[in-house]
């Protein structure tokens, strides 16, 4: 069962989706968790999400953690499917709680009170792809896949 979580092929195209999504979500998570890239940091983000948005603190923490650690997991290609599920749940909640009420389109012209959910839908498509295909080449998951299938005692990189 655990092998299904990290099993992947050596497809290089998958790496593009995984890395780009990982970088985007790590950056957003780092804003919320560490205050990097102009973010508020953990305490201020928790106060805002729990206080202003009325989301229970444990769920707010899970949202922050899924962006930060999920993004990191995608960058490394480590337990990619789990990271993708966390980010996917985060995007579904964002659509249902925040963005769904503003329609489909982003607020390019500044005429809406908020952003639509088109970005979130794209993320969900990428997440679905990664859940189905895995991490692809150049990933910890690929190293584990090759190691387990080779039957050796030491991990080897795929060729």
């Amino acid at each position: 069962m655990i092998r299904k979580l990290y099993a992947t092929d050596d497809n290089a195209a998958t790496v593009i989706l995984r890395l780009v999504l990982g970088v985007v979500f790590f950056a957003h998570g780092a804003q919320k968790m560490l205050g990097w890239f102009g973010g508020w940091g953990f305490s201020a983000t928790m106060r805002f999400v729990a206080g202003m948005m009325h989301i229970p603190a444990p769920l707010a923490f899970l949202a922050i953690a899924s962006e930060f650690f999920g993004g990191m997991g995608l960058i490394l290609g480590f337990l990619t499917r789990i990271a993708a599920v966390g980010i996917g749940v985060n995007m579904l909640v964002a659509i249902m709680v925040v963005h769904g009420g503003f329609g489909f389109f982003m607020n390019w012209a500044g005429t809406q009170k908020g952003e639509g959910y088109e970005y979130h839908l794209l993320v969900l498509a990428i997440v679905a792809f990664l859940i189905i295909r895995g991490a692809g080449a150049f990933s910890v998951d690929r190293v584990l896949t090759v190691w387990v299938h080779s039957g050796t005692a030491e991990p080897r990189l795929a060729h």
Side-chain angles (χ1 to χ4, degrees):
M1 177 64 178
I2 190 93
R3 288 182 188 175
K4 290 181 180 181
L5 289 177
Y6 62 79
T8 191
D9 58 20
D10 62 349
N11 188 308
T14 304
V15 177
I16 296 168
L17 287 176
R18 177 175 54 82
L19 284 177
V20 170
L21 189 64
V23 167
V24 167
F25 273 87
F26 176 78
H28 281 280
Q31 286 180 311
K32 295 171 178 91
M33 183 78 78
L34 305 173
W36 292 1
F37 312 115
W40 293 349
F42 185 75
S43 296
T45 301
M46 285 293 290
R47 279 192 302 275
F48 174 77
V49 173
M52 298 296 290
M53 298 180 73
H54 307 292
I55 294 175
L59 295 178
F61 172 77
L62 286 174
I64 294 168
S66 72
E67 288 186 13
F68 183 75
F69 294 111
M72 191 181 306
L74 291 179
I75 291 168
L76 297 173
F78 181 61
L79 297 175
T80 297
R81 288 180 173 92
I82 293 172
V85 165
I87 289 170
V89 168
N90 202 352
M91 291 296 95
L92 285 172
V93 171
I95 290 170
M96 292 186 300
V97 173
V98 179
H99 300 281
F102 298 112
F104 178 75
F105 294 103
M106 302 219 19
N107 191 12
W108 295 106
T111 57
Q112 298 173 187
K113 291 184 179 182
E115 299 288 345
Y117 60 88
E118 66 178 309
Y119 162 80
H120 306 83
L121 193 59
L122 287 170
V123 170
L124 288 171
I126 296 169
V127 160
F129 180 88
L130 293 173
I131 291 169
I132 293 166
R133 294 291 302 258
F138 312 112
S139 65
V140 174
D141 289 350
R142 180 67 184 154
V143 171
L144 291 172
T145 299
V146 171
W147 179 39
V148 168
H149 288 295
S150 71
T152 63
E154 296 180 15
R156 294 183 303 175
L157 293 175
H159 29 274

